[in-house]
Amino acid sequence: MKKSLFRLTDVFELCIAYIFCFSLNVLLDYAKTLDLDSYILKAFLKNFIDYQPLVVLLFTFIVIVFHYQMLHRKNAEIFCRILVGDTVFHITSRYVLDCITILVFACFPVALASVYLNVSLTGNFYLVPIFIIYILIGARQVRKKYENF
């Protein structure tokens, strides 16, 4: 990741955010399979389980906000890289590849946890395209902003 826009802390934060979103979905799926004796705990979890897609999609906005803030913080660096001779195409393609690599590596521990908990793996599949779409939208914003250089 020598020419990457991501620093080690950015990679770590983004990976934690991805893992949090995926693991929240797995834990809510696991809560569906539990046979609980406590009425209070059942009632508490029922509210989250009933609105699971909405809750998980709301937490994906954490990742979306992180991507937006990271691109906003890196505007000066992107501009300097263009001045030095790097092309917008190479910057955006490295950004997309780095984001997708981090996303794939964040999926592995959660997939292993869902196999261990005997929860369906298909529950997290709708989150991956959402994240990929936002990565592509963010990359397009970078291209649009610096297209004239």
Side-chain angles (χ1 to χ4, degrees), residues 6 11 15 25-26 33 37 42 46 48 55 68 70 74 81 92 97 100-101 104 111 113 118-119 123 133 135 147:
F6 291 106
V11 171
C15 194
N25 197 23
V26 168
T33 63
D37 295 332
K42 273 186 187 178
K46 184 180 181 310
F48 288 106
V55 169
Y68 175 77
M70 200 273 306
K74 302 293 181 174
R81 286 181 183 208
T92 55
L97 288 175
I100 291 176
T101 303
V104 167
N118 200 16
V119 177
I133 287 170
I135 290 167
E147 210 166 48

Side-chain angles (χ1 to χ4, degrees), residues 86-148:
D86 206 355
T87 62
V88 176
F89 175 75
H90 288 121
I91 292 170
T92 55
S93 62
R94 281 192 304 265
Y95 170 74
V96 169
L97 288 175
D98 290 343
C99 287
I100 291 176
T101 303
I102 294 168
L103 179 65
V104 167
F105 282 119
C107 286
F108 282 130
V110 177
L112 291 174
S114 63
V115 167
Y116 178 74
L117 295 173
N118 200 16
V119 177
S120 175
L121 290 172
T122 59
N124 283 330
F125 282 145
Y126 71 92
L127 291 177
V128 174
I130 290 171
F131 289 136
I132 290 175
I133 287 170
Y134 188 74
I135 290 167
L136 294 175
I137 289 171
R140 179 66 184 144
Q141 289 174 348
V142 171
R143 275 192 83 136
K144 228 178 188 184
K145 186 172 186 176
Y146 296 105
E147 210 166 48
N148 295 332

